[in-house]
Amino acid sequence: MASFERASPALKEVLLRIYRTEKPTEVDHHLYEFGSVEYHIKSSASDPQLTYLSLSTPPLNQGVLQSYGLSPYTIQMVREISTDVLDIVEPAKEGYQLTLRLDFSKIRRGKDSLKVITEISSVQAVILSSQLKEMLQNVNSWDASQGLYKPIKLVYHPREPFYVIRQPEKIIAVFPMRFKEYSDVIIATSFFQELMDVGSSEKWAKVPPCSWSAIPPPELRGEPFEDLSTNGGFVCFDISSRHVEGKRLDKTVWSLLNFYAYVKYHVKCTRGFIQRRMRKRLDSLVEVLQNSSIEEDRPIKKVQGWRYMKKLVKLSSKSKILKRRCHDFTRKIKRIRFRIKIHGFGRFRKRWLTIPKFSSSMGYTKLE
């Protein structure tokens, strides 16, 4: 999912606006969301209490779902959202998998109205969750009896597929991780390693074990090469029977559907934290430089003999510069190697190429 909320914020806002309006108006609205999801909301002024909601969402797996649309299990899960307010229209509107008729007159005024409309806005999350639940419970029954466990490719977004492999004692969920920037790969890799360390501790012994590898796991052998080419490695979760029993099944399924969104959220927050620390450090360094420049610009108090001190400083600085230049010149001469020996050159060098020594006859005494 694009976010951690089950309800669609845009759909919830439109339905609340229709429900709370005092003057009946014509509504014919289209919404498009992450994952190729499309909503069509239609309401007429002649019958403002009835609103028709059509939904189009790509299935998680084309091979598992039935060819004529949503499975009976998924339809039953949708009906259980709100049996009084919601009714499924058959057949659905052309181009959509599901059409719902909403009767707002059966919604009580008050806090319950917000709760009911929020549950209706989560219809797409209910469809995805029920599809994954059905796969985990019924898929590969023939292959399991033959000892073959083929991976099921689940595609919520074309760039974010993941795999589910059902085995006798556990279910393996494999997530190929891809990132656009190299910095995101570094942050995510450290996060996966920390996730493995935390998951292996005794405190979190009941959660599904997590493993990360830079190479594909052996269970994905034979899958298309483009699905296995990643820059962030592969994250695997071992889901046992206790993780899919009762109410835990819904929590496990929702966590699997949101794992990509959770990783992106963590990488984005970490990158923002690093950038804030860098800006804060830069501001502190700039502040230090500004304070030093302010101290240098402060006027020096004039005392008796300040002109004499200024002359001493100038003489000492000039003598240091002259010494450094003479030292560089003599060092260059020493590097020269003559092939022909010149008689008397040693005496000439000792006499004329020696470094002059400078000394000042003037002294400095502290003024009282």
Side-chain angles (χ1 to χ4, degrees), residues 7 12 17 70 163 172 302 307 358:
K12 179 180 176 181
R17 190 183 306 165
L70 301 176
Y163 294 87
I172 302 176
K302 294 184 179 181
R307 292 182 180 178
F358 298 92

Side-chain angles (χ1 to χ4, degrees), residues 35-64:
S36 303
V37 181
E38 181 183 356
Y39 298 99
H40 179 221
I41 305 101
K42 188 174 183 180
S43 178
S44 62
S46 59
D47 193 1
Q49 299 298 330
L50 294 180
T51 301
Y52 291 88
L53 172 62
S54 299
L55 170 65
S56 174
T57 177
L60 289 177
N61 185 272
Q62 295 287 347
V64 175

Side-chain angles (χ1 to χ4, degrees), residues 249-301:
L249 175 61
D250 186 66
K251 185 180 294 185
T252 301
V253 167
W254 187 247
S255 299
L256 293 176
L257 292 175
N258 283 274
F259 181 71
Y260 276 119
Y262 178 73
V263 173
K264 290 182 178 180
Y265 174 79
H266 175 80
V267 171
K268 183 178 180 180
C269 292
T270 305
R271 186 171 62 244
F273 173 75
I274 295 174
Q275 291 174 355
R276 288 194 300 271
R277 290 294 300 273
M278 293 175 64
R279 286 195 294 268
K280 186 176 180 181
R281 179 61 177 169
L282 178 62
D283 294 340
S284 63
L285 294 175
V286 171
E287 185 179 357
V288 171
L289 293 176
Q290 290 178 350
N291 293 336
S292 62
S293 62
I294 292 173
E295 292 179 357
E296 290 179 357
D297 294 339
R298 288 179 181 175
I300 301 174
K301 294 182 179 180

Side-chain angles (χ1 to χ4, degrees), residues 106-118:
K106 296 182 180 180
I107 302 178
R108 298 179 180 178
R109 296 287 177 176
K111 296 182 179 179
D112 293 339
S113 60
L114 179 61
K115 181 180 179 181
V116 173
I117 292 178
T118 302

